[in-house]
Each structure stands twice: as C-alpha cells, then as structure tokens.
Amino acid sequence: MIEKVMKIQLPTGLEARPVAVLVQVASKHACSVYIESEGKKVNAKSIMGMMSLGLDSGEIVTVIADGQDEHQAVADIEEYLLKGKVS
C-alpha cells in the first residue's frame, strides 16, 4: 500500500466532468484506489463517492492505492490532478 499527498491543480476543481475522468483513470487499474480529504475517504472508482467530496482547485488530498499496480495508479492520478493530462 502506498499513500501520496497532492494538491489539486485543475482550474475548475473536481466538477462533474473532471470527476468522471478521474474515475476512469482510477478504474483502469487493478488495485484499490481511495481519495481522502478532511477525514473522509472514498473509493476513487466511484463517481458518486468522488462527487461527495466536492473538491476544489488548491485542495490537498491523499491518494491511497493498494495492489499490484499501485505505483502506476498513484502516478497516473497525480499526473491528472496536477497537469490535467491522462496517459
């Protein structure tokens, strides 16, 4: 299991479309992926869970991944949250 703290740098924060893209990025990985913010931890593969966080640009989150491709999952999510790019 790995955890990484990162700052959301998407200009619009995580509104509906950016959340959908983030869920797609998380879902392409076999490992479990969670996003934690202000004591609330949700499954990053759940669009409803992610929407419930209501994250804005500049907020700090912890990405937690556990499984065979955990390092790649965290790297891909970080690339999206920091640069808005999907690989």
Side-chain angles (χ1 to χ4, degrees):
M1 181 175 82
I2 59 171
E3 295 184 18
K4 186 160 188 180
V5 175
M6 54 190 79
K7 184 176 183 179
I8 298 171
Q9 295 185 1
L10 298 171
T12 61
L14 287 176
E15 295 176 345
R17 177 150 182 1
V19 163
V21 174
L22 178 62
V23 168
Q24 288 176 342
V25 171
S27 294
K28 74 178 185 177
H29 298 284
C31 65
S32 59
V33 184
Y34 294 91
I35 305 285
E36 187 172 40
S37 175
E38 297 181 5
K40 188 173 182 181
K41 180 177 171 182
V42 301
N43 184 343
K45 297 179 182 181
S46 164
I47 197 158
M48 293 306 292
M50 289 302 302
M51 289 295 292
S52 74
L53 290 177
L55 297 170
D56 289 321
S57 184
E59 289 194 54
I60 305 295
V61 298
T62 303
V63 178
I64 305 158
D66 189 18
Q68 64 186 19
D69 57 351
E70 61 192 25
H71 291 282
Q72 189 61 51
V74 170
D76 289 349
I77 290 170
E78 181 175 35
E79 182 176 22
Y80 180 64
L81 290 179
L82 300 182
K83 301 174 186 170
K85 296 181 182 178
V86 178
S87 49

